[in-house]
Amino acid sequence: MPEEPEDDWTNTAEQEATFIPPTISTSDLYDYRTWAQQERGWRKLLAAINGGAAVATADGEAAAARLVSPQSVMDAGGAFQQAYETLNWLEQFVRDQSRAMAGEDRAWQGAAANAFLAKMDYFADYIGAQAERIAGGDGTGGVNSVPNQLYKSANYFAWAQSTMSYLDQSWAQIAAVNGVTSEGNMVAISGTRFERPMTDQMLQVVDTLANQYDFTYSGVTPPDGSGEPPISSPALTTPNLTGELPVGRPRSPVLTTPNVSTPNVSTPNVSTPNV
């Protein structure tokens, strides 16, 4: 009788099926290649992409669907897009508002005002560097932006789920036609001569998705200096305030959207199963 899957790959929704564990160690980024060599390792490959494998009940299918979701990756891309827009607006907001209260032709002038402006510019530069990191750096057209890479990965993920389901069903049909018996509505492919070629093709799909998940992003380049203005004397004079300080409201944010191109996801060459 085939070996039962490890306890952490089981789920109360369906005891005989294999489900992706709640947590998997990331110490080995190629652990899926080890799974492919294990007995019934194809179950882990399929579960890692589709949430579950050898699932025969509606409760099991619902449990598997809750464990994986390409939409969650797309949502993450939207969150990083919003973070970029917020940082981009905040950088300009800090510069504009600091200059509205201090500096030339403003009520607050002098060494203290200059020190304040220098610190605010330094702070704004840091914010801008973080925004640039998310956007992928100047001159890239948004190709390497974090949102764009997440959108592309979500499309790869959806493709991988569809392809894994196709391989699972196609090999089950091939095995059934060649005399492999069924257990209920499931074809018992494990332990047959069809298990290895099916596992190898599933491994191609997982490997393609895993390589897409290898993100690139630009580094944060901090601004030069310490944010201190060149002050000839360490003694700061008291600002000479005349009239009332201007009372301003933060302007409505003007959000600029980076050029995030529509993901062009090419389908990896996974051949039709044949024996």
Side-chain angles (χ1 to χ4, degrees):
M1 184 174 180
E3 178 181 290
E4 288 298 320
E6 292 86 340
D7 290 342
D8 57 350
W9 288 80
T10 60
N11 191 296
T12 55
E14 189 176 334
Q15 294 291 344
E16 299 302 318
T18 299
F19 295 88
I20 185 173
T23 59
I24 293 179
S25 173
T26 57
S27 59
D28 180 7
L29 298 181
Y30 297 100
D31 50 4
Y32 60 90
R33 296 177 182 174
T34 302
W35 302 343
Q37 304 308 315
Q38 297 173 349
E39 183 179 358
R40 301 209 299 182
W42 66 270
R43 283 194 173 205
K44 291 184 178 181
L45 295 177
L46 181 57
I49 303 300
N50 287 23
V55 179
T57 66
D59 288 344
E61 292 176 354
R66 288 193 296 268
L67 295 172
V68 292
S69 170
Q71 184 61 48
S72 66
V73 183
M74 188 71 73
D75 292 344
F80 272 99
Q81 177 73 20
Q82 184 176 5
Y84 164 79
E85 293 174 352
T86 301
L87 289 170
N88 195 46
W89 167 76
L90 184 58
E91 176 192 6
Q92 191 60 47
F93 177 82
V94 169
R95 296 188 195 280
D96 290 348
Q97 294 305 307
S98 60
R99 281 169 174 73
M101 66 179 70
E104 187 178 355
D105 298 328
R106 294 293 181 263
W108 187 14
Q109 299 183 27
N114 292 337
F116 168 76
L117 289 175
K119 282 295 186 183
M120 290 300 99
D121 281 342
Y122 193 61
F123 179 50
D125 287 342
Y126 259 109
I127 296 173
Q130 295 292 348
E132 184 177 326
R133 188 185 201 193
I134 295 174
D138 291 337
T140 64
V143 174
N144 290 327
S145 73
V146 175
N148 189 59
Q149 291 184 83
L150 285 168
Y151 295 152
K152 187 176 182 180
S153 292
N155 280 299
Y156 264 81
F157 193 0
W159 164 83
Q161 286 191 330
S162 176
T163 305
M164 293 291 271
S165 294
Y166 161 74
L167 292 173
D168 184 36
Q169 295 168 10
S170 297
W171 280 104
Q173 293 174 1
I174 292 172
V177 168
N178 285 272
V180 176
T181 59
S182 300
E183 298 176 0
N185 62 344
M186 307 290 289
V187 178
I189 197 170
S190 294
T192 70
R193 63 191 176 97
F194 306 105
E195 180 180 6
R196 175 45 50 190
M198 179 185 71
T199 302
D200 289 342
Q201 286 198 321
M202 286 184 171
L203 179 60
Q204 290 182 47
V205 177
V206 179
D207 202 43
T208 300
L209 180 61
N211 289 332
Q212 165 57 29
Y213 279 179
D214 186 11
F215 266 34
T216 59
Y217 50 86
S218 61
V220 175
T221 303
D224 295 331
S226 63
E228 298 292 342
I231 301 175
S232 57
S233 173
L236 303 181
T237 59
T238 302
N240 181 21
L241 304 179
T242 59
E244 296 182 357
L245 289 174
V247 178
R249 295 182 306 166
R251 64 177 184 174
S252 298
V254 179
L255 304 180
T256 59
T257 303
N259 181 17
V260 178
S261 58
T262 301
N264 181 16
V265 180
S266 59
T267 302
N269 183 19
V270 178
S271 58
T272 301
N274 57 77
V275 177

